[in-house]
Amino acid sequence: DIQMTQSPSTLSASVGDRVTITCRASQSISSWLAWYQQKPGKAPKLLIYKASSLESGVPSRFRGSGSGTEFTLTISSLQPDDFATYYCQQYNSFSRTFGQGTKVEIK
Amino acid sequence: EVQLVESGGGLVQPGGSLRLSCAASGFTFSSYWMSWVRQTPGTGLEWVATIRQDGSANYYLDSVKGRFTISRDNAKNSLYLQMNSLRAEDTAIYFCASGGNTAFDFWGQGTLVTVSS
């Protein structure tokens, strides 16, 4: 199975900060990567697919980049609604695998 | 509005069975691959199974192969997960999600499965 490793596990930031989360795959997954946002007690929500394509309705402050084995999710200016846990997920191979998550906390 | 509503979760003893259902609305269900994904505090998010639009192909997490069966009824806009020989490690919130051949586009709110004696 392809292992997905996110860093950091927790991130403390303030409203207005630029935030970057990294996701590394154990082998090349081309651009077959998605990013999700999850809030407590809720289902994950798709933000980014194919590494850099913004899902409809997602604010443009979210940006995904990368290919191969290294990927990043950047939030250009953190908003109060963005405090949540973020997961990357590869869909290069069956079985699909997720990163362990990055919790974005209020500083 | 897209809606996915899971049901069928509950408490079951090890070795027991449970059938989860997912009712879909707001999109053309028969045109979408569909999946089950589970979540536990310890293991995070874990893909469980995916089924093609017409049910002609299924894919499973290795640890559930031979125990879980994913199926669908396009006439009823419904997705199912039959879970047999349940183990403690299957305890999780189970989410129904559209997609699986690509990203998981939409998710239900989940149903809790607890395997314990």
Side-chain angles (χ1 to χ4, degrees):
Chain A
D1 287 0
I2 299 174
Q3 307 303 315
M4 306 301 293
T5 304
Q6 287 181 235
S7 60
S9 296
T10 307
L11 187 160
S12 296
S14 302
V15 172
D17 284 353
R18 181 184 179 90
V19 164
T20 298
I21 298 168
T22 298
C23 177
R24 288 187 175 88
S26 60
Q27 64 188 72
S28 178
I29 58 170
S30 185
S31 295
W32 304 119
L33 184 100
W35 289 97
Y36 302 88
Q37 176 193 68
Q38 188 178 32
K39 296 181 180 178
K42 300 292 187 182
K45 173 189 172 184
L46 178 64
L47 300 175
I48 302 284
Y49 61 95
K50 208 173 179 186
S52 60
S53 296
L54 195 66
E55 176 71 350
S56 176
V58 174
S60 58
R61 62 181 179 273
F62 290 93
R63 188 173 75 89
S65 63
S67 66
T69 62
E70 288 241 358
F71 302 86
T72 58
L73 174 68
T74 301
I75 309 172
S76 59
S77 178
L78 199 64
Q79 298 301 300
D81 191 48
D82 300 339
F83 291 97
T85 300
Y86 295 84
Y87 295 91
C88 62
Q89 177 242 327
Q90 65 81 18
Y91 50 101
N92 180 73
S93 74
F94 275 114
S95 75
R96 312 311 200 197
T97 46
F98 292 83
Q100 82 279 15
T102 296
K103 186 175 183 180
V104 177
E105 297 181 329
I106 301 173
K107 193 172 185 179
Chain B
E1 180 196 3
V2 172
Q3 275 205 314
L4 295 168
V5 180
E6 302 92 338
S7 60
L11 174 63
V12 61
Q13 291 188 338
S17 297
L18 216 51
R19 189 195 197 206
L20 306 183
S21 298
C22 172
S25 60
F27 66 106
T28 308
F29 179 76
S30 59
S31 297
Y32 281 76
W33 291 57
M34 294 295 295
S35 300
W36 290 96
V37 178
R38 66 187 180 186
Q39 185 170 34
T40 65
T43 58
L45 287 165
E46 185 173 55
W47 165 79
V48 174
T50 292
I51 187 168
R52 197 174 283 186
Q53 296 101 316
D54 60 0
S56 61
N58 308 323
Y59 304 87
Y60 295 96
L61 178 68
D62 282 349
S63 63
V64 309
K65 277 180 188 173
R67 300 188 300 122
F68 290 12
T69 302
I70 188 171
S71 63
R72 64 192 296 161
D73 185 335
N74 286 342
K76 294 183 177 179
N77 288 343
S78 293
L79 177 73
Y80 306 101
L81 186 68
Q82 177 67 43
M83 303 186 295
N84 299 330
S85 303
L86 281 161
R87 306 167 181 168
E89 55 264 35
D90 296 319
T91 294
I93 297 171
Y94 284 73
F95 295 100
C96 163
S98 62
N101 54 325
T102 57
F104 302 112
D105 309 281
F106 300 104
W107 299 60
Q109 288 307 299
T111 186
L112 177 62
V113 172
T114 303
V115 184
S116 175
S117 54

